Amino acid sequence: MKKMKITVFALIGLLTKSMACKASDNMVFAENLPTGAKVFVQHYFPRQSVAYAEKKATRQGMVYEVSLNDGTEVEFGQNGAWGMIDCKWDAVPASLMPASLSSFVKSQFADAKVVRLDRTDNGYVAALSNGMLLKFDHKGMIA
């Protein structure tokens, strides 16, 4: 019985260590992010810093998932262009949205704010603080 417990604990230890090594293989230091990603964070989130960054391979190439100190998450492509911004409960900076998208949300959903914005091949998907999802084309017109 004692040997079985030792074996089980040894296996758990090995599994935990292998998972930790796998996670650290994808971890990226803030200074090693693409230049565009670093400039983006400094410009649009000047009061925040990178808390955690991870690099993942996708069909489109490398993607960098970045978490800021306030909980905001931003996904960048390998060239440093943003693809997704999730500010959780805060509003996505209006300067990142087409003006028509921002004005549509203000006029139709005055009490809501855009808390997540995804840039897609067809335009944008905006998640509002009231739980609604809205699709827009590249010009910011409702799709």
Side-chain angles (χ1 to χ4, degrees), residues 7 13 20 41 55 67-68 84 87 97 114 124-125 127 132 138:
T7 304
V41 171
K55 180 171 61 171
S67 294
L68 304 180
M84 182 277 299
C87 292
M97 297 180 251
V114 176
Y124 300 91
V125 176
M132 291 196 65
H138 288 290

Side-chain angles (χ1 to χ4, degrees), residues 9-10 18 30-31 33-34 58 88 91 104 116 131-132:
F9 285 122
S18 69
E31 59 269 11
L33 288 170
T58 66
K88 307 293 183 209
F104 178 84
R116 179 181 168 129
M132 291 196 65

Side-chain angles (χ1 to χ4, degrees), residues 45-93:
F45 300 95
R47 294 189 190 112
Q48 303 305 321
S49 60
V50 174
Y52 179 81
E54 189 174 358
K55 180 171 61 171
K56 293 185 177 182
T58 66
R59 283 182 267 156
Q60 291 81 19
M62 291 307 250
V63 172
Y64 294 87
E65 295 177 354
V66 177
S67 294
L68 304 180
N69 286 344
D70 68 346
T72 297
E73 295 176 357
V74 185
E75 190 175 280
F76 297 98
Q78 60 191 18
N79 62 355
W82 70 271
M84 182 277 299
I85 305 165
D86 188 352
C87 292
K88 307 293 183 209
W89 304 276
D90 292 328
V92 171

